C-alpha cells in the first residue's frame, strides 16, 4: 500500500465563487507508472467536491478503470468543535462542509490518497476469472432480434429489452404507443451506419477500436442524444486521455457545445500546460472561461 498526503487551505476567496483548483501533480513513492493530482471544485449547487484524478504514463498498465479501483481518497476536515469530519471515496462531495469547518477565515483539509497494488498469489491451482459478455449470450438471428436501426440502405439488429435498459429514450419509444414500438424500427438520419454499428458493438461489449478522435466524438454524440450515460462516461474518458495539439480545438468546441464539465476541466489543464502553443481558433469567450478554470 502506498500513500500520499496533501494539505489544502481554502480561503474565503475560493469559497465565494464557482471555481476549480488542482493540486500539483504527484507520484506515489517508487511508482512511476502513473501520476495523480487532487481536483477541488467549488460549486454553489453541490458545495465542495474533491476527486482523485490520474494520468497513466506506462502503456503496459492495466485498464484505467481497473486502476481506479485501486485508488482511494480520504479527506479529513476539523470542525468548529474540534471534531474531525472524515469523507471517504474517490470523489468526495461535502455540501455542508463550509458552515461546519470554517475556522479562522479558512477551511483546512487533509487529503490522503492511497494506492493498493494488485496482489498476485501463485498457487498450485491456477485461478481464472470467468466472464460472459452480452454479445456472447444474446442471439442475433432474425428470429431473436425484435428491433433494428435503419440507416439509409443499411440496418443493424438489436433487442428492445436490452436497449430499453440502457437508454431512457429507447425505453420511452418501446413502452408507449409509438411507431417504433409497433414496427420495431428506429430510423436514424443524423448518424452514418459505421457510427451506429460502433455504438451497438460498444453497448454489447464487443471491442471498439477507434481510428480517430472524430470517430469517438460521433459515437459520443449518439450516446448523449439517447442518454446512454455509461457510454458517455467511458467515451469522455477516452478523449481526456487522448488530447493532442492537433485535436485540442475540436475537443474544446465539443466540451463547450455539450456542456461537459469533465472535458472542460481537461481542456483547461491542457491549455495551462501548453500555453506556449498558438490556439488561434478558440473562441475568446471560451478561452476566458478556460483561464478562469485554472485559476
Amino acid at each position: 500500500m502506498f500513500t500520499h498526503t496533501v494539505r489544502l487551505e481554502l480561503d474565503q476567496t475560493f469559497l465565494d465563487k464557482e471555481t476549480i483548483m488542482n493540486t500539483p501533480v504527484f507520484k506515489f513513492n517508487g511508482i512511476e507508472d502513473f501520476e495523480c493530482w487532487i481536483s477541488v471544485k467549488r460549486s454553489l449547487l453541490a458545495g465542495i467536491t474533491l476527486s482523485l484524478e490520474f494520468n497513466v504514463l506506462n502503456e503496459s498498465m492495466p485498464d484505467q478503470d481497473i486502476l481506479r479501483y485501486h485508488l482511494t481518497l480520504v479527506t479529513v476536515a476539523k470542525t468548529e468543535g474540534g471534531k474531525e469530519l472524515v469523507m471517504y471515496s474517490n470523489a468526495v462531495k461535502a455540501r455542508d462542509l463550509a458552515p461546519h469547518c470554517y475556522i479562522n477565515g479558512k477551511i483546512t483539509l487533509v487529503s490522503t490518497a492511497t494506492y493498493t497494488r494488485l496482489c498476485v498469489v501463485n498457487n498450485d491451482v491456477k485461478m481464472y476469472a470467468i466472464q460472459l459478455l452480452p454479445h456472447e449470450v444474446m442471439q442475433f438471428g432474425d428470429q431473436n432480434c425484435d428491433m433494428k436501426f435503419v440507416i439509409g440502405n443499411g440496418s443493424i439488429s438489436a433487442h428492445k429489452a436490452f436497449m430499453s435498459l440502457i437508454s431512457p429514450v429507447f425505453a420511452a419509444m418501446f413502452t408507449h404507443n409509438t411507431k417504433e414500438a409497433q414496427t420495431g424500427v428506429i430510423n436514424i438520419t443524423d448518424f452514418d451506419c459505421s457510427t451506429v454499428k460502433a455504438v451497438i458493438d460498444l453497448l454489447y461489449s464487443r471491442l471498439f477500436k477507434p481510428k480517430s478522435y472524430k470517430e469517438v466524438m460521433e459515437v459520443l454524440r449518439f450516446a448523449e442524444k439517447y442518454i446512454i450515460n455509461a457510454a458517455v462516461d467511458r467515451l469522455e474518458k477516452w478523449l481526456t486521455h487522448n488530447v493532442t495539439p492537433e485535436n485540442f480545438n475540436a475537443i474544446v468546441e465539443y466540451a463547450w457545445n455539450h456542456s461537459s464539465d469533465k472535458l472542460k476541466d481537461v481542456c483547461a489543464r491542457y491549455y495551462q500546460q501548453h500555453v506556449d502553443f498558438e490556439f488561434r481558433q478558440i473562441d475568446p469567450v471560451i478561452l476566458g472561461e478556460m483561464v478562469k478554470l485554472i485559476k
Side-chain angles (χ1 to χ4, degrees):
M1 181 181 295
F2 303 83
T3 62
H4 185 90
T5 300
V6 177
R7 182 184 177 89
L8 303 166
E9 292 186 349
L10 311 179
D11 59 18
Q12 193 63 44
T13 303
F14 180 88
L15 298 172
D16 285 343
K17 60 182 180 180
E18 293 200 359
T19 185
I20 294 177
M21 175 183 70
N22 293 320
T23 67
V25 173
F26 62 86
K27 296 180 181 178
F28 293 95
N29 186 31
I31 305 296
E32 297 295 328
D33 295 328
F34 62 94
E35 60 187 9
C36 296
W37 65 91
I38 297 174
S39 179
V40 187
K41 183 176 181 180
R42 168 64 172 133
S43 168
L44 298 180
L45 180 62
I48 299 173
T49 302
L50 297 92
S51 59
L52 181 60
E53 307 294 337
F54 64 91
N55 181 39
V56 175
L57 304 176
N58 184 350
E59 294 182 356
S60 65
M61 284 290 289
D63 183 88
Q64 293 178 15
D65 287 331
I66 295 177
L67 175 59
R68 188 175 294 278
Y69 288 130
H70 295 271
L71 291 168
T72 56
L73 182 67
V74 177
T75 300
V76 176
K78 289 189 175 180
T79 65
E80 292 176 337
K83 296 182 179 180
E84 290 187 341
L85 177 63
V86 182
M87 297 161 286
Y88 296 92
S89 83
N90 185 42
V92 179
K93 286 188 178 180
R95 186 187 302 275
D96 301 321
L97 185 62
H100 298 292
C101 303
Y102 191 71
I103 304 172
N104 298 327
K106 62 185 178 183
I107 294 176
T108 301
L109 306 175
V110 178
S111 293
T112 300
T114 302
Y115 169 55
T116 305
R117 180 176 271 167
L118 179 63
C119 296
V120 179
V121 180
N122 292 324
N123 297 317
D124 292 337
V125 179
K126 294 183 178 180
M127 307 296 289
Y128 294 100
I130 300 174
Q131 182 181 27
L132 283 174
L133 300 177
H135 73 273
E136 296 175 304
V137 179
M138 304 176 81
Q139 300 296 315
F140 285 87
D142 292 337
Q143 69 275 19
N144 304 112
C145 293
D146 54 0
M147 67 155 294
K148 62 182 177 180
F149 295 93
V150 174
I151 316 99
N153 296 324
S155 66
I156 300 173
S157 298
H159 304 82
K160 287 182 181 179
F162 181 71
M163 301 306 295
S164 296
L165 284 173
I166 62 177
S167 164
V169 179
F170 295 140
M173 288 182 182
F174 294 130
T175 55
H176 294 81
N177 186 22
T178 63
K179 181 180 179 181
E180 289 81 7
Q182 295 171 3
T183 64
V185 173
I186 297 179
N187 287 292
I188 303 294
T189 59
D190 49 348
F191 297 93
D192 60 28
C193 195
S194 63
T195 296
V196 180
K197 183 181 184 305
V199 171
I200 300 304
D201 283 346
L202 180 62
L203 297 179
Y204 278 95
S205 300
R206 301 188 188 99
L207 197 59
F208 171 41
K209 292 183 177 180
K211 297 180 176 63
S212 70
Y213 73 92
K214 292 182 180 179
E215 185 179 357
V216 173
M217 281 185 173
E218 280 300 289
V219 175
L220 175 56
R221 192 165 65 86
F222 185 102
E224 284 191 329
K225 176 176 180 178
Y226 294 101
I227 318 179
I228 309 173
N229 293 327
V232 170
D233 183 64
R234 185 64 61 88
L235 292 162
E236 283 191 341
K237 284 180 181 177
W238 188 97
L239 287 176
T240 63
H241 293 286
N242 288 276
V243 183
T244 67
E246 290 73 27
N247 65 28
F248 179 74
N249 290 347
I251 294 178
V252 167
E253 181 179 359
Y254 191 96
W256 262 262
N257 286 344
H258 293 261
S259 301
S260 170
D261 290 338
K262 182 185 297 182
L263 291 180
K264 285 182 180 180
D265 292 344
V266 170
C267 290
R269 189 163 61 247
Y270 188 88
Y271 175 77
Q272 182 184 34
Q273 296 170 351
H274 301 82
V275 71
D276 53 323
F277 291 167
E278 293 187 13
F279 299 112
R280 296 179 179 177
Q281 299 178 7
I282 299 178
D283 186 309
V285 175
I286 293 178
L287 191 60
E289 291 183 15
M290 279 198 293
V291 172
K292 291 180 180 178
L293 286 175
I294 60 181
K295 284 184 178 180

